[in-house]
Amino acid sequence: MPDTLLIFTFSPIQSFIVEARRAQDLFMGSRILSQLAKAAGNAIIKEIGDENLVYPADLSNDTPNVLVACIPDDRVLSTVESAEAEMKKAWEKYVSVAWVSISGFSIPSDDMWNEIWKRQTKPFWQVFWASAPMVGGDYRTAYKTARDWLNTVKRSRLFDSEQPEEGRKDSLSGKRTALHTKNFSDARKYWVHVTSTTNLFASKVRPAGREMLDAIGAVKRFSSNETFLSTSSIAAAEYLVRVQRNAYKALCDYRDEIRKQFVEGNNIFEPGQKAYDWPYDGDLLYKETLTAKRLKDDYGVIADEEKLKSCRKYQEAVYDSPLLENPHKKLGEPPKYYALLALDGDGMGARIDSLLELPDPKSAHKKFSEGIGKFALQTPSTVTREFLIYNGGDDVLCMLPLVYAIPFAQKLAEQFLELTGNTASAGIAIIHHQSPLDAALEAARSAEQAAKRIDDNKNAVCVRVFRFRTCETD
């Protein structure tokens, strides 16, 4: 009979997620963490049965990194050990898949490269857990005790001594040694060599040493075939729909011209869309992309002025296409800004405390978890999965075309309230599609916190706009 309450969690979380240069990194960081938590959750269920997993109510959505369960006292340690072991297996699977994928691109490696890889990919996740007996079935006291103990353990955690990271640092974290070989001790020269001598798409690693990956970054880039749209594709997504409706032939003509001038049987512009009529990244819909400097820096493409001029002509034909509903108005250029939306339940700790005061706190907590699970289950159909980065419990993170940001934030908040009886607040950052991703994340989280500071029951949205400035010239 379950007579002990267990709270299980792990870290790092935020630092792992925010180490991202592009939307794909952010998506994969969130996906990996969710899968690690799901592996731990499945291990707990295998030990005690899914009816004793209180939070989350089930593991069908993105799994949060905090798990609450009721288990027999004599199986606490074995359950924690199983959960940690399954987490380790899940992580090692991502590492193994990335290794095989990298090998398939014939990326050069040697003993030095392998040493960096093994050092950086060894399981570095710190597991924290606390348990408390449910004396006489007292779920309320056990939960509060375990939560307090867990907070104490996390504050007093010990850090393993780490080997110093020397040399050039990777582009995603800026703090770990970038992968390189003995012959290329300068990591930048190594990655210049890699991107110029292998068939890596620019979506994996930007050419000419503009990106240098460490092992963790490489796992994010190479461990899965799941893809996420670039910030440019997201900013232009709603525009592309309008183009397909109003200027289908002009779009196809532009696509064919890109293929004629640059692709020639080897798709250097890896597909960013699934649609046949526009299989490329949304970046190529922007006028400023069609310059010699941008194509070289971002794609490693050498473009002479004649090729560029020809492509620009077809691109301009898209811009100049009239709208079917208003022939006097042209399509024009795509929006240059997108929205990063972060939504989170309000006062979740206080809500759980209130549930603990009910006559049957365990059932109340479980029912609340089920409501959160229902919300997470329907979020992909609200936001559409192609824009959804993370959907774990009461926490949602997505990238959206500007026109969807406010309506989606409102709809998500309404659904959360309906299914959980709890309000949710959102932060929206309006960011240029070429702005650094870390700035976008910081802005969205900051806006979310500002929304949560509203005293009147929160249930608010805060929007922050960051204008993009550049001094680059072609």
Side-chain angles (χ1 to χ4, degrees):
M1 177 181 176
D3 52 13
T4 298
L5 185 138
L6 170 70
I7 305 179
F8 178 100
T9 188
F10 63 94
S11 69
I13 300 298
Q14 289 304 318
S15 62
F16 186 80
I17 291 174
V18 301
E19 290 177 1
R21 284 286 294 271
R22 48 183 85 181
Q24 178 70 15
D25 300 330
L26 187 62
F27 170 76
M28 278 308 302
S30 298
R31 176 53 55 89
I32 289 171
L33 289 173
S34 174
Q35 292 303 309
L36 295 184
K38 185 168 293 188
N42 281 324
I44 293 173
I45 288 175
K46 187 176 181 181
E47 288 277 339
I48 62 169
D50 58 2
E51 70 277 6
N52 290 311
L53 183 65
V54 179
Y55 180 79
D58 63 71
L59 304 175
S60 58
N61 306 300
D62 288 343
T63 305
N65 72 308
V66 176
L67 302 162
V68 180
C70 297
I71 64 177
D73 181 65
D74 60 355
R75 295 172 66 178
V76 172
L77 188 57
S78 63
T79 299
V80 170
E81 289 175 343
S82 295
E84 189 169 2
E86 290 304 311
M87 271 185 56
K88 180 180 177 182
K89 287 181 183 178
W91 170 246
E92 289 178 342
K93 183 177 180 180
Y94 277 106
V95 173
S96 177
V97 171
W99 176 279
V100 172
S101 178
I102 289 170
S103 299
F105 285 101
S106 300
I107 294 176
S109 62
D110 62 4
D111 289 345
M112 177 175 287
W113 194 100
N114 292 335
E115 187 278 326
I116 297 172
W117 177 271
K118 291 178 181 178
R119 183 181 78 240
Q120 293 178 346
T121 59
K122 68 179 181 180
F124 56 87
W125 308 99
Q126 290 186 300
V127 169
F128 305 100
W129 63 275
S131 65
M134 294 188 292
V135 180
D138 188 352
Y139 182 89
R140 177 188 304 108
T141 301
Y143 183 89
K144 290 182 176 180
T145 301
R147 182 179 60 188
D148 291 344
W149 285 350
L150 181 64
N151 290 335
T152 300
V153 169
K154 291 171 70 174
R155 285 195 298 268
S156 61
R157 64 189 184 273
L158 297 176
F159 293 91
D160 295 331
S161 58
E162 297 180 354
Q163 297 183 22
E165 296 281 338
E166 300 176 347
R168 288 189 185 271
K169 303 302 187 287
D170 70 291
S171 300
L172 272 64
S173 78
K175 60 185 181 183
R176 291 187 294 268
T177 301
L179 290 164
H180 63 274
T181 60
K182 187 175 182 180
N183 288 338
F184 288 95
S185 58
D186 185 318
R188 188 175 301 281
K189 292 181 179 179
Y190 169 78
W191 284 102
V192 168
H193 173 74
V194 167
T195 54
S196 62
T197 59
T198 67
N199 60 341
L200 278 176
F201 288 122
S203 63
K204 290 293 186 185
V205 186
R206 293 183 72 182
R210 291 174 66 85
E211 279 189 324
M212 301 173 289
L213 301 182
D214 72 328
I216 305 301
V219 169
K220 290 182 179 180
R221 295 279 175 93
F222 291 91
S223 63
S224 174
N225 290 325
E226 291 184 275
T227 59
F228 194 86
L229 296 176
S230 71
T231 54
S232 299
S233 292
I234 291 167
E238 187 272 336
Y239 171 82
L240 181 59
V241 172
R242 286 189 283 122
V243 171
Q244 291 166 326
R245 184 173 65 247
N246 291 277
Y248 184 80
K249 184 178 184 304
L251 180 68
C252 292
D253 288 343
Y254 178 38
R255 172 205 65 199
D256 293 343
E257 188 64 16
I258 293 173
R259 187 173 294 157
K260 173 184 174 182
Q261 296 295 344
F262 297 114
V263 178
E264 299 176 353
N266 179 21
N267 191 6
I268 50 179
F269 302 119
E270 186 178 15
Q273 307 280 345
K274 295 180 181 179
Y276 170 76
D277 50 17
W278 184 255
Y280 304 127
D281 194 287
D283 191 40
L284 292 172
L285 293 170
Y286 292 92
K287 181 183 296 185
E288 57 267 28
T289 303
L290 292 184
T291 67
K293 176 176 173 54
R294 278 286 305 278
L295 292 180
K296 181 179 179 181
D297 288 348
D298 293 353
Y299 298 98
V301 172
I302 305 301
D304 61 43
E305 187 55 35
E306 286 302 312
K307 289 184 176 182
L308 291 171
K309 183 177 180 181
S310 181
C311 287
R312 288 186 195 121
K313 180 180 71 174
Y314 286 93
Q315 187 186 61
E316 288 287 347
V318 173
Y319 298 162
D320 290 338
S321 297
L323 298 178
L324 295 178
E325 64 273 19
N326 184 1
H328 299 292
K329 187 175 181 180
K330 298 179 179 180
L331 272 168
E333 299 180 33
K336 296 182 180 181
Y337 287 76
Y338 72 96
L340 182 59
L341 166 64
L343 179 135
D344 189 53
D346 293 325
M348 297 296 284
R351 177 64 186 278
I352 291 174
D353 283 343
S354 69
L355 297 175
L356 295 177
E357 299 305 318
L358 296 177
D360 187 353
K362 178 182 175 182
S363 296
H365 193 180
K366 179 82 170 181
K367 184 177 180 181
F368 185 53
S369 297
E370 290 170 349
I372 293 173
K374 290 177 182 178
F375 167 74
L377 189 63
Q378 70 180 34
T379 296
S381 60
T382 302
V383 174
T384 71
R385 186 164 294 279
E386 66 177 344
F387 300 135
L388 189 58
I389 294 171
Y390 180 72
N391 176 35
D394 66 314
D395 189 8
V396 176
L397 184 66
C398 53
M399 289 182 171
L400 302 165
L402 287 182
V403 295
Y404 298 152
I406 297 295
F408 281 8
Q410 182 177 9
K411 183 66 174 177
L412 288 172
E414 290 173 352
Q415 291 173 342
F416 191 76
L417 179 61
E418 177 185 351
L419 294 169
T420 70
N422 209 83
T423 62
S425 292
I428 298 174
I430 307 300
I431 302 287
H432 193 280
H433 70 105
Q434 290 180 323
S435 293
L437 191 56
D438 56 353
L441 280 168
E442 183 178 352
R445 290 302 184 192
S446 175
E448 179 190 60
Q449 292 305 310
K452 286 180 172 294
R453 287 194 292 270
I454 300 296
D455 294 331
D456 187 17
N457 297 321
K458 299 182 175 64
N459 193 26
V461 60
C462 174
V463 180
R464 291 192 167 171
V465 180
F466 284 73
R467 294 193 176 279
F468 180 76
R469 295 180 177 85
T470 178
C471 296
E472 287 189 7
T473 57
D474 182 41

